[in-house]
Amino acid sequence: MRNRKILKLGGAAIVFASLLAACGSSSSANSTKKSSSQSANSGVVTYAEQPGATPNYIFWLTPGTDFSVANNDQFQYLMWRPMYVFGVGNKAEINYSLSIGNKPVFSNGNKTVTISLKNWKFSDGQPITARNIVFWMNLLKANKTDWGAYVPGEFPDNVVSTTAVNAHTVRFQLNASYSPTWFTYNELSQVIPIPMAWDRTSLSAPAPTASTPNLPDTTASGARAVYKFLNAQATDLATYASSPIWSVVDGPWKLKSFTTEGKAVFVPNKLYSGPVKPTIKEFVELPFTSDSGEFNVLAAGNNQITYGYLPSSDIQQRTRIESTGYGVSPWTVFGFNYIPMNYNSPTYGPVYHQLYFRQALEHLIDQPAWIHTFLAGYGVPSYSPVPIAPANPFVDSYTKKNPYPYSTNAAKNLLTSHGWKLVNGVMTCESPGTTATECGSGVSGGTNLSGLQLQYASGVTSLQQEMEAFASAAKSIGVDINLTSAPFNTVISGAGSCTPSQPSCKWQMVNWGGGWTYGPDFLPTGGAFYLPGAGANPEGYSNSKATALINQTHTSSNTAATLAAYQDFMANNLPVLYQPFPASQVSAISTSLHGVTQNPYGILFPEEWRLK
């Protein structure tokens, strides 16, 4: 899963004038049909990034602070393909026809997995072989704590060995018997064949091939040195387009240019081996600082944006946008939305640990009203980590209903029945202790709820409205939530795992607005973000029953039963605060652009698109 993940509502910015220079000058809506034809002839497709969520990390071994849809699915994915691609049209399932690997074969009581690879090549002409898989696994094993999807005890810990049986066959030996569905969807999904040209520790070193002996990745210390070098290259955004490292790709696209503000220009990789080749000449991702900035460019016409979106505050402009040559439709992805709380906060961590307190806060989130009022109907409720929509076989009947419907009275009663009392308008712990009517373990007498901090992603009007409504409801029962906003990337990077004594542990609650889109764990189990030490568990949630239920989803052959038990517990236990999951976006797609299917995992496939 992605703490993208990890949706990622948001991007960074470029100056409006430079956007116009890149896309052409503005004109009235009446010229849209003419401009659509010009766009088709030019072969250039422009895609609007969401505010605050610009790509800022290019290497697939992405740390948790940069593990987002903007980086993984809408940037890296264009240039390098994982061994397995997910999403068949708008269906949430594996796509073997677009994958480098054929269907895995499980044997030895599901402890051995053998995969044959298709005859694909990198853009430097080198074939993709089992050695490229071994290279990835060596890097991942030696640097696993730097991988945003890492969960202790899971991938790659559960792989005893990775062997290149021959050039086109790779074999994984596992440490136990696992469910083939879970291991394919959530573990093999994390395998990325990476170029052997990267197996070096400096730019001055010659680019190796699969036949080069004694490469550094074959030792743990060497693999750490290779990662250190590649990570340094990945943090140097200004060199992305000129780098001899990132120019070697196996996906359908190569990076032509890139700005540190997040504007990315792609051109086709002429040696792409996949079955669907690009036909457009350039694919351009455009950053924006705000929803309103994107909408102003979209509404100006001239096809300055080929594939954009309507902000929730401008949904009423749908007819106007459609009249200028766009089709409008929501993009609902397979995920859920939530607000993490820092269980290790030195100030309010003990309070967040109390289930009754989390229940009280959940009762202050009016999901139906927020969807209707702030999201203009383009959203679905989140009641557990298993999505209600898109339609899927994983959600059960219990988690389609809200265990904690909106009620300020219920919220207030939960606090007062657990030792809290209004003192000068602020809830204060009057009865410290651990009995059923006291404040709970670690909560000192006199603790008051006047200093809760919540930072949310800036630039999205609906998110601001939601958080203001949440803080207002909390204020009405004596809980003061102090709101601040910051760019998306700042919000997710500032909410890291920590211990109470660390300066970085000052954060309390954060809301990047887009929750989690499933991937690279595509089966909706909770290992990536609810197991202790998981890369996407910066809040430090730990619950022995939750851990047991999650582990059962990994090994049981009865996927439906184990997923039902897991999601029902998580709906009640509230490891996070659930909130409405907005449509990834309400897309506005030029009528000159054809072949667009909105992937259920948020992945972009512009090689499938055609301009006419």
Side-chain angles (χ1 to χ4, degrees):
M1 300 160 209
R2 103 209 68 187
N3 76 331
R4 274 153 183 304
K5 329 180 133 108
I6 285 176
L7 184 78
K8 321 330 136 180
L9 239 256
I14 59 174
V15 179
F16 184 71
S18 65
L19 171 63
L20 296 181
C23 301
S25 60
S26 173
S27 68
S28 69
N30 293 332
S31 66
T32 298
K33 292 193 175 183
K34 178 180 178 182
S35 66
S36 295
S37 175
Q38 290 171 341
S39 178
N41 291 335
S42 70
V44 177
V45 170
T46 52
Y47 175 83
E49 298 167 346
Q50 293 194 12
T54 54
N56 64 352
Y57 197 88
I58 197 170
F59 181 31
W60 260 115
L61 212 162
T62 309
T65 52
D66 299 306
F67 203 71
S68 69
V69 169
N71 281 324
N72 302 144
D73 297 334
Q74 300 182 357
F75 186 57
Q76 297 164 2
Y77 218 102
L78 278 68
M79 297 174 280
W80 301 280
R81 286 290 150 90
M83 185 165 64
Y84 290 116
V85 170
F86 283 79
V88 179
N90 58 6
K91 296 179 181 179
E93 60 187 59
I94 196 167
N95 192 327
Y96 286 113
S97 68
L98 296 181
S99 297
I100 297 169
N102 292 306
K103 186 175 182 179
V105 177
F106 286 77
S107 60
N108 186 30
N110 294 335
K111 294 180 181 179
T112 303
V113 188
T114 305
I115 300 164
S116 62
L117 305 177
K118 299 172 186 176
N119 294 314
W120 283 37
K121 289 185 177 182
F122 289 102
S123 59
D124 62 357
Q126 291 294 312
I128 296 178
T129 69
R131 179 66 176 92
N132 300 104
I133 303 294
V134 172
F135 178 24
W136 167 259
M137 292 301 295
N138 287 345
L139 279 190
L140 195 57
K141 284 266 189 179
N143 304 278
K144 59 190 180 184
T145 58
D146 295 298
W147 171 232
Y150 175 63
V151 179
E154 295 190 10
F155 201 77
D157 294 344
N158 52 16
V159 178
V160 175
S161 63
T162 307
T163 306
V165 178
N166 56 48
H168 287 93
T169 307
V170 63
R171 180 167 295 152
F172 297 88
Q173 188 63 42
L174 312 183
N175 64 359
S177 175
Y178 293 101
S179 160
T181 300
W182 175 78
F183 197 82
T184 300
Y185 271 66
N186 286 12
E187 308 291 81
L188 294 178
S189 58
Q190 299 183 38
V191 177
I192 320 291
I194 55 176
M196 298 311 302
W198 296 359
D199 199 358
R200 45 179 158 162
T201 58
S202 71
L203 286 176
S204 61
T209 67
S211 61
T212 304
N214 303 317
L215 288 173
D217 77 291
T218 55
T219 68
S221 60
R224 286 191 289 270
V226 171
Y227 171 77
K228 182 178 180 181
F229 163 67
L230 293 175
N231 180 60
Q233 298 298 303
T235 55
D236 189 1
L237 278 67
T239 65
Y240 279 5
S242 60
S243 169
I245 298 294
W246 314 127
S247 65
V248 182
V249 303
D250 64 15
W253 301 92
K254 299 185 72 171
L255 193 61
K256 177 182 177 182
S257 64
F258 184 83
T259 70
T260 54
E261 292 82 9
K263 179 184 176 183
V265 179
F266 298 91
V267 294
N269 167 20
K270 296 180 180 179
L271 290 183
Y272 176 54
S273 305
V276 182
K277 318 292 184 185
T279 62
I280 58 179
K281 294 179 181 178
E282 285 188 354
F283 174 63
V284 183
E285 296 183 350
L286 297 171
F288 292 88
T289 53
S290 67
D291 281 341
S292 59
E294 186 273 347
F295 179 76
N296 289 337
V297 177
L298 184 73
N302 272 341
N303 247 44
Q304 296 174 80
I305 298 174
T306 318
Y307 189 153
Y309 65 91
L310 268 67
S312 57
S313 58
D314 294 297
I315 293 299
Q316 69 277 11
Q317 301 290 331
R318 174 174 180 162
T319 301
R320 172 190 172 192
I321 294 300
E322 288 176 331
S323 71
T324 63
Y326 288 94
V328 175
S329 61
W331 186 355
T332 301
V333 296
F334 193 65
F336 72 108
N337 202 9
Y338 58 98
I339 301 171
M341 298 159 284
N342 185 2
Y343 290 90
N344 291 319
S345 166
T347 51
Y348 286 104
V351 179
Y352 297 139
H353 272 280
Q354 310 307 316
L355 175 58
Y356 73 81
F357 181 74
R358 303 196 300 273
Q359 291 171 329
L361 291 186
E362 188 67 40
H363 274 301
L364 302 177
I365 297 175
D366 193 347
Q367 296 206 49
W370 288 13
I371 292 170
H372 175 75
T373 305
F374 304 137
L375 299 177
Y378 291 105
V380 295
S382 295
Y383 300 140
S384 88
V386 177
I388 293 175
N392 66 85
F394 308 120
V395 64
D396 69 6
S397 58
Y398 180 78
T399 55
K400 290 180 180 179
K401 299 178 182 179
N402 191 356
Y404 304 106
Y406 180 74
S407 171
T408 55
N409 286 335
K412 184 176 181 179
N413 289 338
L414 279 164
L415 296 179
T416 56
S417 65
H418 285 85
W420 297 82
K421 182 180 179 181
L422 278 174
V423 178
N424 297 323
V426 177
M427 280 291 180
T428 303
C429 176
E430 293 282 290
S431 301
T434 58
T435 70
T437 59
E438 294 174 327
C439 300
S441 177
V443 182
S444 303
T447 299
N448 68 71
L449 303 180
S450 64
L452 275 69
Q453 306 290 327
L454 193 161
Q455 185 179 71
Y456 63 92
S458 58
V460 182
T461 302
S462 59
L463 182 58
Q464 177 183 341
Q465 293 171 327
E466 289 173 342
M467 291 304 90
E468 288 174 349
F470 180 44
S472 177
K475 180 74 172 178
S476 73
I477 66 166
V479 178
D480 287 344
I481 298 177
N482 303 308
L483 300 176
T484 59
S485 64
F488 170 87
N489 290 336
T490 301
V491 173
I492 62 170
S493 64
S497 301
C498 60
T499 58
S501 61
Q502 294 176 316
S504 61
C505 220
K506 293 180 180 179
W507 72 274
Q508 295 183 24
M509 293 186 284
V510 296
N511 189 358
W512 52 82
W516 184 273
T517 301
Y518 280 91
D521 291 7
F522 295 95
L523 193 69
T525 63
F529 46 78
Y530 289 144
L531 287 180
N537 183 11
E539 60 267 26
Y541 175 77
S542 178
N543 181 285
S544 59
K545 184 172 181 179
T547 297
L549 290 170
I550 291 168
N551 288 335
Q552 288 173 18
T553 68
H554 300 172
T555 57
S556 173
S557 59
N558 192 340
T559 301
T562 55
L563 272 177
Y566 156 71
Q567 65 189 279
D568 293 355
F569 179 79
M570 291 306 195
N572 289 316
N573 192 250
L574 296 173
V576 293
L577 301 178
Y578 300 116
Q579 63 180 349
F581 193 38
S584 175
Q585 61 184 37
V586 179
S587 298
I589 304 172
S590 170
T591 54
S592 67
L593 186 64
H594 299 265
V596 178
T597 298
Q598 301 193 118
N599 180 272
Y601 300 107
I603 304 168
L604 291 178
F605 292 97
E607 66 274 13
E608 299 178 349
W609 306 346
R610 304 289 184 271
L611 279 169
K612 295 181 181 179

